[in-house]
Amino acid sequence: MGETEEPKLSDVLADRREKLEGLREAGIDPFPPEFAEKEDIGEVRAAHEGLAPGMETESRHRVAGRIVGRRGHGKACFLDLRDGSGQIQLHARVDLLGEEPYRLLVDLDLGDIVGVEGTALATRRGGELSLAIDRWRLLAKSLRPPPDKFHGLEDVETRYRKRELDLIANEESRRLFALRARTVSEVRRWLDERGFIEVETPVLQPLYGGALARPFTTHHNALDRDFYLRIATELYLKRLVVGGIDRVYELGKDFRNEGISHKHNPEFTMLEWYEACADYAATAHKVETMVAEVAERVLGTTEVQRGEVTIDFAPPWKRVTIRDAIRERTGIDILEHPTREALAAAMGTEPDPEEGWGKLVDGLLSKSVEPELVQPTFVLDYPVELSPFAKSHRSEKGLVERFEAFAGGMEIANGFSELNDPDEQRRRFEQQAEELARGDEEAQPYDEDFVAALEQGMPPTGGVGIGIDRLVMLLTGAKSVREVVLYPAMRS
RNA sequence: GCCCCCGUAGCUCAGUUGGUUAGAGCGGCGGCCUUUUAAGCCGCGCGGCGCGGGUUCGAAUCCCGCCGGGGGUACCA
């Protein structure tokens, strides 16, 4: 290494390979199997909080991490070492390390992973906590250069495809995914504390159901039959309520074979819970309470900044019927136009043969109302055509007891008083079959096992689905779902 | 799916009325430096401009196609 006079024209990858070989020739294992009894850097920092500038301690520490910065000074240098708990500066001096270990240390590359031992001190000038190291050991050689240390990694494509590089380079990204993890933990805790039982139902399903969406299809070789990746957990969870699990939830991935956008990833994380003897009003109340309490625990506040506006999740959230919400923004009273032709006329469009009345209402809601709902809002009492699994409204004919929660212009939850009359459920499936026949690819296939379960007797039940990715978007201010999903869907 | 925009060194970016061997910072390589923090100083460009065609005396710059990404739009959590 470095014996020729002329400048090397080798590229960065070759340089690192060359160093790897150099280390092996020097008898150093570039990938040793362990580095036992090390502390987390975060613990070391905590142990010396407030150490006065210039103070040197006898306190020895053994830490390990990736070298993310280096400032050389000839016979001494500073290295920045980072692990999953934090970052600390290392002060490496030839007089403490010895000639050869020092030379080898300085010859390491940014990105290499090392284990070190040394004593804690606070630097004279900045008072920065540092370890004056007297021993070190290579733990893993990095053969590819890290992203730019100052600008970080900004190319969004690389950030999504190679999230590990994004995490190495960008503090903000590390912070965001930690926040996501805490959100999921707090959601589980909130439900566990209230006696909800977490379950895992099939991802591979012989029939899909529980939402209006197109599924992914896959094939089981041994059984020689197709399966669907679930689009929702709803039907299995309600069968568990039939089975006597009065409070049940599942938090996991659903899959929908539809477009990708800033608020849609084909696989996404959904929470669904079902509670016996609750109705949609009680369920909506739980939703607003849970979201506010989770926000409080994760962020320390129920208020989040989103662009120019502040969204406040403190309950109670605003409530409005779908009829009023649409009427307020479009002047159209959907109940005054109860047929597809009449509603299309009121909207000033031609009735599309593939779109029923319900689809038109859904269109008005998602185009005219949803983007306007920035503060948390429950939209209530949907048309039965849109809601094949919701119980008919106790007083409003043609409507069901259903709510959707919106915030930041996005739908984040969808819940109802669950339909538990098996004969009515069978009729709803038949209606869906007609939609399917008309060409609606999102209509629900008939699920006899589910209807049979209802015939067994399901108590009145309140249930809800909450989009966890979107909730995390709201809590973090992320503009795209890709920012809160570690490896979002990309082309090949 | 459709429309618009983008794709230059490992990273962040500059470079279009088409014109000599394509530039900068960080990183890298060589050297100096025992308290620096985007450390500093001196020296060295390590890519031929996403891919493939085409126009032209000449293309990173113009045209066509493809691939990838972003934004918008359509459907959905």
Side-chain angles (χ1 to χ4, degrees):
Chain A
M1 325 194 278
E3 270 154 40
T4 50
E5 290 293 314
E6 33 195 307
K8 283 208 207 108
L9 302 182
S10 52
D11 71 300
V12 283
L13 298 182
D15 285 339
R16 286 177 180 241
R17 289 272 167 196
E18 222 172 280
K19 286 188 183 179
L20 177 72
E21 289 318 309
L23 289 162
R24 285 196 165 116
E25 281 163 22
I28 294 169
D29 178 0
F31 300 102
E34 51 82 47
F35 186 69
E37 290 169 41
K38 63 111 188 168
E39 292 171 84
D40 281 351
I41 288 170
E43 294 171 20
V44 177
R45 298 204 71 95
H48 295 284
E49 210 170 341
L51 191 63
M55 289 294 289
E56 296 186 12
T57 75
E58 303 282 295
S59 175
R60 284 189 69 77
H61 295 284
R62 181 175 160 89
V63 296
R66 189 183 296 279
I67 299 173
V68 295
R70 176 173 50 207
R71 295 168 291 284
H73 282 275
K75 293 192 173 59
C77 74
F78 294 93
L79 300 169
D80 296 323
L81 191 74
R82 187 165 73 217
D83 70 9
S85 69
Q87 189 171 318
I88 194 167
Q89 175 168 268
L90 307 179
H91 192 197
R93 295 158 43 177
V94 68
D95 57 340
L96 290 180
L97 284 157
E99 292 282 347
E100 184 65 1
Y102 180 78
R103 192 186 64 73
L104 288 167
L105 178 67
V106 169
D107 206 40
L108 291 176
D109 290 309
L110 288 180
D112 286 351
I113 295 167
V114 298
V116 303
E117 275 183 56
T119 56
L121 62 95
T123 58
R124 289 203 286 272
R125 201 168 299 174
E128 177 164 350
L129 180 66
S130 308
L131 291 181
I133 59 171
D134 47 51
R135 296 185 64 186
W136 76 273
R137 180 180 176 194
L138 180 64
L139 298 183
K141 181 67 190 164
S142 169
L143 294 172
R144 291 176 183 271
D148 185 281
K149 66 177 178 183
F150 182 60
H151 296 96
L153 179 65
E154 297 193 352
D155 179 76
V156 291
E157 183 175 354
T158 308
R159 288 186 47 237
Y160 298 159
R161 287 186 190 277
K162 302 192 171 183
R163 185 68 82 181
E164 62 280 6
L165 296 184
D166 183 35
L167 291 167
I168 288 172
N170 298 322
E171 167 75 32
E172 176 59 18
S173 192
R174 294 193 291 275
R175 193 192 66 79
L176 190 149
F177 286 104
L179 199 150
R180 177 178 176 128
R182 272 191 287 133
T183 301
V184 170
S185 297
E186 291 299 338
V187 165
R188 283 203 162 94
R189 199 164 84 109
W190 195 93
L191 291 163
D192 293 342
E193 283 174 353
R194 283 160 184 76
F196 282 83
I197 305 292
E198 180 170 8
V199 298
E200 294 176 88
T201 63
V203 170
L204 291 176
Q205 304 183 344
L207 272 181
Y208 58 96
L212 303 177
R214 296 166 64 187
F216 286 93
T217 307
T218 188
H219 189 78
H220 190 289
N221 290 335
L223 297 177
D224 188 25
R225 61 153 301 163
D226 284 346
F227 277 84
Y228 302 100
L229 299 188
R230 68 186 182 194
I231 60 174
T233 48
E234 174 160 355
L235 304 189
Y236 282 105
L237 293 180
K238 284 196 277 199
R239 287 167 68 175
L240 294 175
V241 176
V242 169
I245 307 182
D246 289 341
R247 289 186 292 278
V248 65
Y249 77 97
E250 180 159 8
L251 198 167
K253 288 277 182 77
D254 286 348
F255 307 83
R256 298 191 184 173
N257 204 340
E258 287 168 352
I260 294 175
S261 83
H262 67 105
K263 42 178 150 164
H264 300 274
N265 198 53
E267 59 180 288
F268 62 101
T269 303
M270 175 83 109
L271 164 68
E272 290 191 38
W273 84 59
Y274 294 85
E275 181 182 19
C277 297
D279 66 357
Y280 77 135
T283 304
H285 180 62
K286 268 202 170 65
V287 169
E288 61 190 349
T289 306
M290 184 197 78
V291 170
E293 290 185 16
V294 167
E296 186 73 49
R297 295 195 75 104
V298 171
L299 303 172
T301 171
T302 58
E303 295 186 357
V304 299
Q305 201 63 31
R306 188 166 188 81
E308 298 291 286
V309 298
T310 301
I311 299 176
D312 189 354
F313 288 105
W317 296 355
K318 190 179 167 196
R319 283 162 168 76
V320 61
T321 64
I322 189 171
R323 179 190 191 184
D324 289 344
I326 292 174
R327 189 165 48 192
E328 278 169 26
R329 284 168 183 79
T330 65
I332 298 171
D333 185 339
I334 54 172
L335 299 189
E336 296 282 304
H337 305 282
T339 66
R340 183 177 53 153
E341 289 72 20
L343 186 53
M347 293 166 64
T349 60
E350 286 295 306
D352 182 335
E354 287 185 8
E355 282 191 331
W357 182 80
K359 280 264 166 191
L360 292 178
V361 172
D362 194 37
L364 285 170
L365 179 68
S366 58
K367 283 185 205 70
S368 304
V369 179
E370 177 171 347
E372 309 278 313
L373 298 178
V374 177
Q375 294 302 324
T377 303
F378 288 113
V379 175
L380 306 169
D381 299 344
Y382 283 60
V384 62
E385 287 84 348
L386 284 176
S387 318
F389 301 105
K391 190 187 269 292
S392 294
H393 199 282
R394 63 195 75 183
S395 57
E396 303 287 333
K397 197 167 187 316
L399 303 183
V400 294
E401 296 195 349
R402 173 182 176 191
F403 67 83
E404 288 190 300
F406 297 86
M410 288 187 297
E411 181 188 345
I412 56 170
N414 175 26
F416 21 92
S417 302
E418 303 296 335
L419 176 57
N420 62 345
D421 175 339
D423 294 332
E424 173 65 14
Q425 183 65 71
R426 195 174 274 118
R427 284 195 291 277
R428 301 280 187 88
F429 272 127
E430 280 159 11
Q431 185 190 11
Q432 287 293 309
E434 286 170 27
E435 301 280 337
L436 204 56
R438 194 181 322 156
D440 183 349
E441 298 184 69
E442 292 173 352
Q444 292 285 293
Y446 183 79
D447 188 333
E448 180 57 37
D449 286 341
F450 175 60
V451 174
L454 292 185
E455 285 175 338
Q456 208 73 47
M458 183 173 87
T461 297
V464 66
I466 297 178
I468 295 295
D469 309 275
R470 290 185 178 179
L471 179 60
V472 173
M473 284 173 70
L474 289 167
L475 296 184
T476 59
K479 298 267 182 349
S480 168
V481 69
R482 295 184 194 93
E483 294 293 336
V484 303
V485 170
L486 280 167
Y487 293 94
M490 295 284 220
R491 268 197 178 82
S492 65

